[in-house]
Amino acid sequence: MAKGGERAVDGVEAGAPSLDATLSEDLRQGESRRADRERNAAQSADQQENKRSEDLRRGERRRADRRKAERRRADRRADSEPTTGEQSVDELSAELQAADERARDEQRELYRTLDLALRIGEVVLASGAGTADATATILSVTASAGLRGCEVDITFTSIAISYQAAPDVAPETHMRVVRYRGQDFSRLTAVDQLVRRFARAELTREEASRELARIVSAGPPFPRWSSVIAWGVMAGGATLLLGGGWLITLVAVVTACFIELSNRWFNRQRLPAFYQQVAGAFVATAVALILYAVHAPVKPSLVVAAGIIMLLAGIALTGAVQDAITGYYVTAAARSLEAMLLTGGIIAGVSLGISLGIKLGLPVAIEAQTIQLSNLPVMIGSGALMAVAFAYASYSPLRSLLPIGVVGALGSLVFTLMSRAEFGPAWSTAAAAFVIGLAGYSLGRRSGVPPLVVVVSGTVPLLPGLTIYKGLLELMSLGNLIGIVSLATAVAIGVALASGVILGEYVAQPIRREARRLEDRLAGPRLVGPRRPTRRRTERSRSHRSRRTRGGK
């Protein structure tokens, strides 16, 4: 027994060094990781410090150049005017200090003006406005603040402004990255009104900057749950527009609300928008498969079509076509790629659901929709309902809902009549979009919102949801190459929709000399912002005008 106890003690003592060695190794690894983190933090701090130092050196060089110029002017004045004694030296020193202070004030004013213009342009671009609209809005802000001749460069994810005060002075170039995108029409409307008030000299730059910060940091004007319900109402209006009854309309409303809630949860989890589109389209198709399985006395394909329209409504196709038409091809290519990617997510989700239905042996089909004039009141009312619901879901101001409903009804009326006359889906959509663009400009301005809010909401009833589903079904379940033609028709409808709206805006805008000059410069119609920059009245301009008046008398 004694020998056994000794062996046990020896075993414990033998295991102790290995435990100590493990602990020591863990401590060394922890110290190594901590040292790496501290080293990385120090390198990052050094890089930031070097950048700040470089910016300070640049500022000092510019200020030194200005001080030298002021000294040269002061020396020339001193040479032309004979000064003697200690008083002349003091006066010269005071002039140099005052000139240096004025140069610093001018530099700060320039920085603040460019920062305000960049932040306004970020909101406008992130809200889905075209590059021409964002550029013109930025130029309006800078011109109203007294900075003439600014150059603006926009690349979809970034905005750069360059200003050169004189040919022999280095230009100031500032850049801002657009980090978020979304359809918040209340924010876009508020910024549009802010720009107009600033251009009319109703706000100073400091007041405009504070107002912009309040607009950006403010939450949505309506409760979020009401926006979810509005998306459901929009999907219900789509089923009514396509000839569905009250039961399938109720199913579409519930399905759309579930899709919106799930997409918001995915968004909080930072899931990319492509996968959100796939999930939403699959949910809509899965609900249709369930209806097929239980042999419900409804048209299940309308649920899929309503879900596709709901997901297509969030794609900024109008901005992509507007950029292409107005000559901003870089941003047009980026927006088009984004639209193709998001539409591809919808196609992937629907095709996955169709494949699952075929594997399960469900009678997946599509119910033909014939346009009859007897259904014209229902189709017009459904179009108005869809436009208003989308506008409310995108937080449009309440005062804009009535003109949006009128525009949506007009678009549905023209589309129904053109389709009944057998002009084809693409030309019928183009004609309806032209009417929407024509009426949306004047109604938007009269209601105090940008025309973009009215026309984007008014085109929602014309989105090709049923055509996309029909093409996918023909390709996958029937093996029919006609499905490719249906998908090509859907693409043509999308292009006709955006180009028709822009053509209507071209025709609707008034042709004045100042507006025509601005249109020639920006190469396109204006959907956001003032039509032309407004010159702010300064003390110098007012005194010059008063001198001219006195001279005329």
Side-chain angles (χ1 to χ4, degrees):
M1 294 297 293
K3 293 180 179 181
E6 292 175 358
R7 285 196 299 271
V9 172
D10 294 339
V12 172
E13 292 176 353
S18 63
L19 179 60
D20 294 340
T22 303
L23 293 175
S24 300
E25 182 65 22
D26 293 339
L27 290 175
R28 283 194 298 272
Q29 292 178 358
E31 290 293 336
S32 177
R33 287 192 295 268
R34 190 178 301 108
D36 292 340
R37 286 195 298 269
E38 293 176 353
R39 186 163 51 255
N40 294 334
Q43 292 176 358
S44 177
D46 291 338
Q47 293 175 357
Q48 295 178 359
E49 184 64 28
N50 292 334
K51 184 178 179 181
R52 285 195 294 269
S53 301
E54 182 65 23
D55 294 339
L56 290 174
R57 285 194 294 271
R58 292 175 182 173
E60 289 295 334
R61 285 196 296 269
R62 287 192 292 267
R63 287 191 290 271
D65 293 339
R66 292 191 182 91
R67 285 194 295 267
K68 290 179 181 178
E70 292 290 341
R71 289 193 183 94
R72 286 194 294 270
R73 286 194 291 269
D75 292 340
R76 286 194 293 270
R77 287 195 301 270
D79 294 338
S80 60
E81 298 179 0
T83 57
T84 58
E86 195 70 25
Q87 183 178 0
S88 61
V89 176
D90 294 339
E91 291 177 354
L92 181 60
S93 177
E95 288 182 1
L96 292 176
Q97 292 179 0
D100 191 18
E101 186 64 27
R102 285 196 300 271
R104 287 196 294 268
D105 292 340
E106 291 175 358
Q107 194 71 14
R108 285 194 291 266
E109 293 289 325
L110 174 62
Y111 289 163
R112 291 168 181 168
T113 301
L114 295 181
D115 178 72
L116 176 63
L118 283 172
R119 290 191 290 138
I120 289 176
E122 178 187 13
V123 175
V124 173
L125 188 65
S127 300
T131 305
D133 292 334
T135 301
T137 302
I138 293 172
L139 291 177
S140 176
V141 173
T142 55
S144 300
L147 302 181
R148 301 288 177 176
C150 289
E151 297 292 338
V152 180
D153 181 44
I154 298 178
T155 60
F156 186 62
T157 57
S158 64
I159 304 174
I161 304 179
S162 180
Y163 173 71
Q164 189 173 15
D168 56 347
V169 177
E172 286 282 349
T173 302
H174 293 228
M175 188 185 75
R176 190 174 184 89
V177 177
V178 181
R179 302 185 183 276
Y180 68 93
R181 298 189 183 275
Q183 286 183 330
D184 190 345
F185 289 154
S186 65
R187 181 177 297 174
L188 178 63
T189 302
V191 171
D192 182 71
Q193 296 294 330
L194 172 65
V195 172
R196 294 174 183 277
R197 293 170 60 195
F198 182 70
R200 293 193 297 263
E202 297 177 3
L203 294 174
T204 63
R205 193 198 56 250
E206 289 77 12
E207 293 172 346
S209 182
R210 288 194 298 268
E211 181 69 13
L212 179 63
R214 185 194 63 79
I215 293 172
V216 172
S217 60
F222 314 132
R224 298 184 185 275
W225 59 264
S226 63
S227 176
V228 174
I229 295 176
W231 283 110
V233 172
M234 192 199 77
T239 58
L240 291 175
L241 183 67
L242 297 174
W246 67 269
L247 183 57
I248 192 64
T249 300
L250 181 61
V251 174
V253 169
V254 176
T255 303
C257 291
F258 178 80
I259 292 174
E260 177 63 17
L261 289 174
S262 62
N263 282 348
R264 293 192 178 199
W265 184 81
F266 289 144
N267 195 31
R268 288 194 297 270
Q269 306 304 317
R270 304 298 179 88
L271 187 70
F274 172 80
Y275 301 106
Q276 297 180 28
Q277 297 287 90
V278 174
F282 177 75
V283 168
T285 311
V287 172
L289 294 179
I290 295 174
L291 295 177
Y292 280 122
V294 300
H295 302 286
V298 294
K299 299 177 180 179
S301 61
L302 299 185
V303 178
V304 184
I308 294 175
I309 291 175
M310 172 189 172
L311 296 173
L312 285 175
I315 299 176
L317 183 61
T318 303
V321 177
Q322 182 186 6
D323 288 347
I325 291 177
T326 53
Y328 293 91
Y329 300 112
V330 175
T331 53
R335 289 178 188 264
S336 301
L337 180 60
E338 182 188 42
M340 291 173 57
L341 183 65
L342 296 179
T343 306
I346 298 173
I347 293 175
V350 173
S351 61
L352 177 61
I354 294 176
S355 301
L356 182 61
I358 295 174
K359 295 294 183 182
L360 296 176
L362 296 176
V364 182
I366 186 169
E367 294 77 11
Q369 167 69 15
T370 58
I371 298 177
Q372 300 178 359
L373 293 180
S374 59
N375 297 329
L376 186 59
V378 176
M379 301 184 71
I380 294 176
S382 302
L385 179 63
M386 291 179 64
V388 171
F390 173 79
Y392 187 90
S394 301
Y395 303 115
S396 298
L398 295 178
R399 64 178 180 274
S400 66
L401 297 184
L402 180 59
I404 288 173
V406 172
V407 170
L410 284 175
S412 299
L413 174 62
V414 174
F415 176 80
T416 303
L417 295 178
M418 294 287 290
S419 299
R420 185 65 178 174
E422 298 182 354
F423 277 92
W427 282 108
S428 300
T429 303
F434 174 79
V435 173
I436 290 174
L438 193 65
Y441 177 81
S442 58
L443 292 178
R445 291 301 184 191
R446 289 179 182 275
S447 59
V449 298
L452 179 70
V453 176
V454 180
V455 298
V456 170
S457 302
T459 55
V460 169
L462 305 178
L463 293 173
L466 193 62
T467 306
I468 293 176
Y469 179 60
K470 178 183 177 183
L472 292 175
L473 187 62
E474 290 171 344
L475 278 176
M476 302 192 63
S477 64
L478 303 179
N480 195 342
L481 294 181
I482 298 179
I484 298 178
V485 178
S486 299
L487 293 178
T489 302
V491 174
I493 290 173
V495 175
L497 188 63
S499 58
V501 165
I502 296 172
L503 180 61
E505 294 291 334
Y506 267 111
V507 176
Q509 292 194 3
I511 307 300
R512 299 179 181 176
R513 184 177 61 181
E514 296 87 353
R516 183 163 58 249
R517 288 176 179 175
L518 186 62
E519 294 294 337
D520 292 339
R521 181 179 180 183
L522 300 174
R526 299 293 312 282
L527 297 179
V528 179
R531 286 196 301 270
R532 61 182 182 273
T534 304
R535 293 185 177 180
R536 296 169 64 88
R537 291 187 178 182
T538 60
E539 293 296 332
R540 182 180 299 177
S541 64
R542 284 195 291 266
S543 61
H544 178 67
R545 180 172 298 181
S546 63
R547 286 197 300 270
R548 290 181 57 186
T549 304
R550 289 195 298 268
K553 292 180 180 179

